[in-house]
């Protein structure tokens, strides 16, 4: 099975 | 003072349709270069980035940078009141807590205006790094919408596998397995019917169907869609908005548990 990752883990907060 | 005018309300309706399933509210950042919107969906799996250039508007004036937080459901109610061919003008004073949206019929005989309350949205702004994508696929937007709709019947996830031969979309579930392969088109009469693949190296990624299907709500904006992929980074699904800008959706991949 696969797990959904979060978009905020790829992009840094500005 | 902020004022932006578009020749046809239909464009704004289509833009709103393309984002309102993912976002309940969003901040429209206005500057003299145009209007920008960046927002994550509620579950923080995808991110919507909209760019409308000032030179794409019939009239555009923005004296001071302005962030307008809008409830998109309210905006949809207002846009429902416009005819597709109406001119649409958005206006706000500096530091205003409302925005006025005005529709004018082509013959100027009907003018309506709607004042909408703005919201203070505390939205995180994310920096999106430049990525050298392994594969960039351009294909007809209608075809992509069809594939996403068809495969969603079979699984919650779709696997996109891109090689130099073509791009394969697969879904596997209780019913069985579905595979849709698209080869790069040789020669086509119409540019909008082309499937074009630029590949540095092959890539296989898994994504949630429901988000891909939400992105395809942008299909009426563009004849072509561009998918940019790289291992272990978000997929970028981009629809150009002719002469005005683009809408980009970023979708976090699913990874093996």
């Amino acid at each position: 099975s696969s797990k959904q990752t979060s978009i905020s883990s790829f992009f840094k907060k500005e | 003072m902020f004022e932006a005018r578009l020749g046809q309300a239909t464009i704004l309706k289509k833009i709103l349709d393309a984002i309102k399933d993912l976002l309940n509210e969003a901040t429209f950042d206005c500057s003299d270069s145009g209007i920008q919107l960046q927002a994550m969906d509620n579950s923080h799996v995808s991110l919507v980035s909209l760019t409308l250039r000032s030179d794409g508007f019939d009239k555009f004036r923005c004296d001071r940078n302005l962030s307008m937080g809008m409830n998109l459901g309210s905006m949809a109610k207002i846009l429902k009141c416009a005819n597709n061919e109406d001119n649409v003008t958005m206006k706000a004073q500096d530091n205003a807590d409302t925005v006025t949206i005005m529709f004018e019929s082509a013959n100027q005989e009907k003018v309506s205006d709607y004042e909408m309350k703005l919201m203070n949205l505390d939205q995180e702004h994310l920096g999106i790094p430049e990525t050298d994508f392994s594969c960039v696929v351009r294909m007809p937007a209608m075809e992509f919408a069809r594939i996403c709709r068809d495969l969603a019947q079979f699984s919650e996830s779709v696997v996109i596998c891109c090689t130099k031969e073509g791009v394969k979309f697969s879904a596997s579930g209780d019913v069985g397995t579905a595979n849709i392969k698209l080869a790069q088109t040789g020669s086509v009469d119409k540019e909008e019917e082309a499937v074009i693949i630029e590949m540095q190296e092959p890539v296989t990624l898994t994504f949630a169907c429901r988000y891909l299907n939400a992105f395809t709500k942008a299909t009426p904006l563009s004849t072509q869609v561009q998918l940019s992929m790289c291992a272990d980074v978000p997929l970028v699904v981009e629809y150009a908005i002719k002469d005005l800008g683009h809408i980009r959706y970023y979708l976090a991949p699913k990874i093996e548990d």
Side-chain angles (χ1 to χ4, degrees), chain B residues 137-140 143-144 146-148 150-151 158-171 177-185 193-197 203-204 227:
Chain B
V137 178
R138 286 197 298 279
M139 62 186 283
E143 185 66 79
F144 180 62
R146 176 71 201 260
I147 289 170
C148 293
D150 289 349
L151 292 186
V158 58
V159 178
I160 306 178
C161 172
C162 186
T163 64
K164 66 176 185 300
E165 281 78 36
V167 57
K168 185 173 79 171
F169 300 85
S170 309
T177 304
N179 291 299
I180 302 170
K181 286 182 219 162
L182 289 182
Q184 177 154 233
T185 43
E193 288 172 5
V195 176
I196 296 162
I197 297 166
V203 63
T204 300
L227 313 178

Side-chain angles (χ1 to χ4, degrees), chain B:
Chain B
M1 175 78 183
F2 164 75
E3 186 173 350
R5 177 185 162 104
L6 279 171
Q8 290 198 316
T10 182
I11 297 170
L12 204 54
K13 287 186 182 199
K14 287 176 185 174
I15 290 170
L16 194 70
D17 284 343
I19 61 176
K20 72 176 166 53
D21 286 3
L22 286 165
L23 311 173
N24 298 324
E25 57 238 349
T27 301
F28 290 73
D29 292 312
C30 308
S31 71
D32 59 6
S33 61
I35 300 175
Q36 290 266 359
L37 176 155
Q38 193 209 76
M40 283 184 280
D41 72 278
N42 283 340
S43 20
H44 289 196
V45 170
S46 69
L47 179 133
V48 179
S49 173
L50 170 72
T51 298
L52 305 175
R53 294 187 312 269
S54 54
D55 60 17
F57 288 83
D58 289 5
K59 181 180 176 185
F60 194 92
R61 174 182 166 186
C62 185
D63 302 336
R64 287 181 59 185
N65 289 0
L66 183 71
S67 288
M68 299 193 292
M70 294 191 200
N71 178 300
L72 299 183
S74 306
M75 197 177 181
K77 284 182 188 173
I78 292 172
L79 285 177
K80 209 180 267 184
C81 305
N83 286 316
N84 285 343
E85 301 76 26
D86 286 353
N87 283 312
V88 55
T89 305
M90 286 183 284
K91 268 189 205 179
Q93 300 297 327
D94 295 341
N95 303 316
D97 54 6
T98 61
V99 60
T100 299
I101 301 176
M102 186 170 84
F103 306 124
E104 291 168 282
S105 62
N107 60 13
Q108 306 275 314
E109 283 170 1
K110 180 180 174 187
V111 179
S112 40
D113 66 81
Y114 301 84
E115 196 180 73
M116 182 171 73
K117 289 176 197 148
L118 295 175
M119 312 166 76
N120 257 326
L121 299 174
D122 189 21
Q123 287 189 334
E124 287 178 348
H125 202 85
L126 297 177
I128 299 163
E130 285 284 313
T131 305
D132 250 344
F133 289 102
S134 306
C135 294
V136 177
V137 178
R138 286 197 298 279
M139 62 186 283
M142 296 263 279
E143 185 66 79
F144 180 62
R146 176 71 201 260
I147 289 170
C148 293
R149 192 191 71 189
D150 289 349
L151 292 186
Q153 301 183 101
F154 301 98
S155 172
E156 288 177 0
S157 303
V158 58
V159 178
I160 306 178
C161 172
C162 186
T163 64
K164 66 176 185 300
E165 281 78 36
V167 57
K168 185 173 79 171
F169 300 85
S170 309
S172 192
D174 296 341
V175 173
T177 304
N179 291 299
I180 302 170
K181 286 182 219 162
L182 289 182
Q184 177 154 233
T185 43
S187 63
V188 283
D189 293 340
K190 293 177 189 162
E191 206 178 311
E192 62 264 29
E193 288 172 5
V195 176
I196 296 162
I197 297 166
E198 286 166 24
M199 192 207 71
Q200 311 301 322
E201 51 185 317
V203 63
T204 300
L205 286 162
T206 304
F207 299 102
C209 283
R210 57 177 286 239
Y211 290 93
L212 294 174
N213 271 307
F215 304 164
T216 63
K217 296 282 155 59
T219 305
L221 285 167
S222 200
T223 53
Q224 284 254 316
V225 61
Q226 179 171 298
L227 313 178
S228 303
M229 288 168 285
C230 196
D232 303 321
V233 303
L235 163 76
V236 188
V237 180
E238 177 175 337
Y239 294 85
I241 307 169
K242 197 172 182 294
D243 300 328
L244 186 59
H246 59 254
I247 182 160
R248 285 187 190 139
Y249 302 95
Y250 296 82
L251 178 58
K254 286 184 152 191
I255 53 167
E256 283 307 310
D257 213 356

Side-chain angles (χ1 to χ4, degrees), chain A:
Chain A
S1 71
S2 53
K3 192 179 86 182
Q4 178 64 61
T5 55
S6 160
I7 198 78
S8 46
S9 63
F10 294 96
F11 301 149
K12 287 192 194 112
K13 276 184 212 171
E14 281 188 333

